[in-house]
Structure formats: C-alpha cells, structure tokens
Amino acid sequence: MLFHLTPAALPEGYAEALVPLADVKAHLRVDTDEEDALIAAMRDAGVDVVERYANLSMGPRTALAAVFDGFGPIMRIGIGPLATLSVTGVAYIDSDGSSVDLTSSDWRIDAGGGLIPAIGARWPATYGPVTVTYSVGFASGACPSALIAATKMFAAHLYLNREAVVQSGMAAEIPMGVTMLCDRYRVPVV
C-alpha cells in the first residue's frame, strides 16, 4: 500500500519561506510590484509541482496524515526526504468500531520509508482504516539549491507562457530542465 499526496493548499507562508518572492522576481528580471500576486501564485505552483514530482517536502511539515485501508506487509508513506521521515502516531479502527492508538514501540520505519511492525511484533487485524500521522521535510534553510532552482524555472515557464495553448513554434522542455534538477532528490515510488 502506498500513500499519495492529495491536492491540498500549501500552508500559509510555506512557499515564501522556501523561495522568497524577491528571489523569483530577480530570476524573472521583474522590477515592478504590479504582478506580485501573479508571480507568487506561479511560485506556489512551482513548489507544488517540484514536491509532487520528487515525492518530497521542500520544507519542514508536521502533523500530516496518511490513511490506509488496513495494515499491510509494508505501508509506505511515499514522501521524503526519507532521512527526515518521522512517524508520530498510528491509529486504527478495531472490529468493535473503536479507535485504537498504537504506541511508538509497536512500529518502525525501514530504510525505504515503509512502516513495518516492530521486531517480534505483528500488525493487529483491523476492520477499518489505519491513520498514520507523520512529519517530514528538509529543515528550514536546508532545501537543496537544485530544488529551489527547479521551482524558479517552473515559475518562469508559467510567467513566460501564460496561455494553455502554444501560438507558434513547437514547445518542448529544455534539456536538463526542471525534472533533471529534481531527479537526484526524487523519492522512488514502489
């Protein structure tokens, strides 16, 4: 079982803390304030695209939740960086319909970011969903510069191509573009 990020708004100020508007405007060579809201929206879209493509959180995120149908042999949160993944809670619905919280001694995280039973333990039999609460993300100021650059590149692409249709010429990604900058940090999805 794998958890995927579902569309959700970025936390207030999250993208600004990662990639300040002034940095994006400098990248775009924009000196005026008239399009600040538009550029900020494009920057936010860039953060969202980079995070979803790379399956990671560019900044620290806490109290996130993944919901699984039940316990499986390996449950993967599916978001990194894996070195910062911290499961803070596991709860499930038992056969009586009651919510049960496991203690931190009941699980462990494997090298691939999977949630597995503690050594010598087994997952309980469940009849309802399992909710895993976790924290993940690069520490403040520690996001790799390649991911910041990819965010700026994507924002620039949106800024320069404001329409959904190409009017002339053939559109193509520039070699060594956004995806290549993200690929080194991408969390594999199994």
Side-chain angles (χ1 to χ4, degrees):
M1 288 181 276
L2 177 67
F3 170 73
H4 293 281
L5 287 175
T6 55
L10 295 173
E12 186 70 33
Y14 178 74
E16 179 65 22
L18 292 167
V19 188
L21 179 61
D23 292 357
V24 178
K25 288 174 64 174
H27 180 78
L28 296 173
R29 295 181 178 90
V30 172
D31 296 328
T32 66
D33 297 336
E34 291 142 8
E35 297 182 308
D36 281 4
L38 174 68
I39 295 169
M42 292 172 176
R43 181 257 338 261
D44 293 357
V47 167
D48 186 55
V49 164
V50 168
E51 286 192 342
R52 289 181 192 283
Y53 177 79
N55 300 317
L56 57 72
S57 181
M58 294 171 61
R61 304 279 295 271
T62 59
L64 299 172
V67 179
F68 299 93
D69 292 335
F71 288 106
I74 297 178
M75 298 185 300
R76 296 209 180 283
I77 302 298
I79 183 171
L82 297 179
T84 67
L85 178 61
S86 170
V87 173
T88 55
V90 178
Y92 68 96
I93 304 300
D94 68 9
S95 59
D96 297 332
S98 302
S99 180
V100 179
D101 292 325
L102 296 179
T103 65
S104 60
S105 63
D106 293 326
W107 73 79
R108 60 192 169 108
I109 300 172
D110 70 12
L115 186 66
I116 58 177
I119 295 173
R122 294 185 355 197
W123 290 129
T126 62
Y127 292 89
V130 177
T131 302
V132 178
T133 309
Y134 63 97
S135 298
V136 71
F138 290 103
S140 292
C143 183
S145 58
L147 298 176
I148 300 297
T151 300
K152 291 177 187 177
M153 286 176 69
F154 191 80
H157 166 74
L158 293 176
Y159 186 77
L160 296 172
N161 299 285
R162 297 183 192 197
E163 303 300 327
V165 177
V166 176
Q167 297 296 331
S168 64
M170 185 169 174
E173 182 181 9
I174 298 170
M176 297 176 41
V178 172
T179 57
M180 186 170 185
L181 289 169
C182 296
D183 279 342
R184 274 188 51 210
Y185 302 96
R186 192 171 188 187
V187 175
V189 177
V190 180

